[in-house]
């Protein structure tokens, strides 16, 4: 079954770091647009960061610039989100999503979604 599986979430103190992983199975990340989204309790889902796996082009939401880094290891079919200087407002369930690259580094209608990994930042 083609799927995405996130991991790496957990509880961290404000100012700390976490690295999330998004692993694909059943397909390869050769030329995909991958995104990380998050959804905090009671809030709408928001985009965090995106990348095109074939050339490494990236996009970050303004509030994540300088703190979060998206990267990929195509040999491992895995995309990562390194999160530094975490704040309480970063508390959310983080999801990855993917679609075949169609002109944007950010997927517009993802074919695949992960189940989410919870990040809790304590202040």
């Amino acid at each position: 079954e083609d799927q995405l599986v996130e991991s790496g979430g957990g509880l961290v103190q404000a100012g700390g770091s976490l690295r999330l992983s998004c692993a694909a199975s059943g397909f390869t990340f050769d030329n995909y647009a991958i995104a990380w989204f998050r959804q905090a309790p009671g809030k709408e889902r928001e985009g965090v960061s995106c990348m095109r796996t074939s050339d490494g082009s990236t996009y970050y939401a303004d509030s994540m610039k300088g703190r979060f880094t998206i990267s990929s290891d195509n040999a491992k079919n895995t995309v990562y989100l390194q999160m530094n200087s975490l704040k309480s407002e970063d508390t959310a369930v983080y999801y990855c999503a993917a679609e075949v690259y169609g002109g944007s580094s950010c997927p517009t209608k993802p074919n695949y979604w992960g189940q989410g990994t919870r990040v809790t930042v304590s202040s």
Side-chain angles (χ1 to χ4, degrees), residues 3-88:
Q3 61 180 346
L4 297 173
V5 179
E6 300 101 333
S7 61
L11 174 64
V12 63
Q13 289 188 330
S17 299
L18 282 175
R19 188 178 79 157
L20 307 183
S21 299
C22 171
S25 63
F27 64 102
T28 57
F29 274 162
D30 49 358
N31 190 23
Y32 270 74
I34 311 291
W36 284 97
F37 295 91
R38 69 185 185 184
Q39 187 163 21
K43 295 188 177 181
E44 297 287 320
R45 185 176 65 202
E46 65 172 332
V48 173
S49 181
C50 316
M51 76 177 303
R52 180 183 179 187
T53 55
S54 63
D55 66 6
S57 55
T58 59
Y59 162 84
Y60 296 93
D62 286 343
S63 62
M64 288 68 167
K65 288 179 181 177
R67 300 191 300 125
F68 292 6
T69 303
I70 190 170
S71 62
S72 69
D73 184 337
N74 289 356
K76 295 183 177 180
N77 257 0
T78 301
V79 171
Y80 303 97
L81 184 70
Q82 177 68 43
M83 306 187 295
N84 298 328
S85 302
L86 284 163
K87 306 174 182 178
S88 57

